[in-house]
Each structure stands twice: as C-alpha cells, then as structure tokens.
Amino acid sequence: MYLDKDIIKEGNPILREKAKEVKIPLNNHDLLCLEQLFQYLIISENDELAKQYNIRPGVGIAAPQVGESLRMFAMSCVDFLDEKQTKYAYAVINPKIVEASTEMTYLPDGEGCLSVVRDTIEYVVPRHYQIKFKAYVYDFFTKKTKFITKTLKGYPAIVFQHEYDHLDGILYVDKMLHKDETSAIPLYTVKNDE
Ligand code: ZN
C-alpha cells in the first residue's frame, strides 16, 4: 500500500511530465498501481485507519504522484453525495475530457493536493462547472475494465479536472488565483439546473 512517504512532493520533476497512455487490458504492474491508488483513498476516508497509517486524507490521487508516469488516477468523493446519492468513485484509465462548460466555478476554500505541502489557503482554482469525459474505468468488484462516457458537474467535476491535470504535469498551484482575480462563481452558489 502507498503511504505518505510514497507520495511524490512538489519540486520533483516526475510531477511535471506528460504521463504515458496505459495499455488496455492493464498488465499486472499497472493494475496493482491503480488498485493501490484506490486503496489509498479508501483508507484515507476512515479517520482511524488514516491516523494509524499516518496518511493525509484525499479525494483523488494520480499515478504520477506515486512516481508512475501513467495516465490513470483514482477519485472518491464520499463526502459529496448528489440528489441521487451517487458516490463518485472511479479508477480512471486514459481519460479524455471531451466537453467542458464555459461556466466556471471554484471551491470557496481552495484546493489541496497530496503532493503540495505549502499553504495556499488564500487562493482558489477556477474550474469548468461541468465536464464530459471518456475513459476506461476499472471495477474492482467485477475485475473488469469498461469504457464509459460520463458527465460530471460541481464537486466531482472539479476533482476530476484536478486529477486529469496531474496526467499532463499540471498542479493546481499553477492555476490558482485570488478570488478577486476570477469571474468564476464559487461552488454551491451555482444554479443547479436539475
Ligand atoms: Zn493533486
């Protein structure tokens, strides 16, 4: 399993590389990496286990953050449930964002990253409010990889964009601004059209 010591921190050039496409079906090495990324998030969601293993809580983690320059990441937004109580948890491989809304938003308290240890509390990161992506996702229960197209909005869309950026060597600190420098609307005040 990955521990905090395995997480590559800002300043390491691996985080700045454009990650390579993953071969489908996944080989054992890549699958183990993806599995451990997902496991990190699951453990981090449990306060007791997170304390026991001394890991920072996270809602997303990308392969380059553990030194694997591969286009895959895990996300798990358990604290965010939408009106349909969907748990946005995915093990994502070779994602492509194919559509993005012009409407921009940001998390009012800013973003954080397992690879960034400095304090960026005064800054926010403008993100597309809604995105549509195509990707392979791995299901750990059925042990199957399937290709999906999905639309995300609000919080899970922000998490997806943050992780997606990691695959292109981009960190949120590259995009952060002061609130008065952006015309984006803070999340939770964006009108929900459903
Ligand atoms: Zn990150």
Side-chain angles (χ1 to χ4, degrees), residues 77-82 85-88 153-156 187-188:
C77 310
V78 280
D79 290 336
F80 173 91
L81 294 171
D82 62 10
Q85 301 289 295
T86 312
K87 184 180 157 185
Y88 292 91
K153 59 182 165 184
Y155 188 68
L187 190 71
Y188 308 125

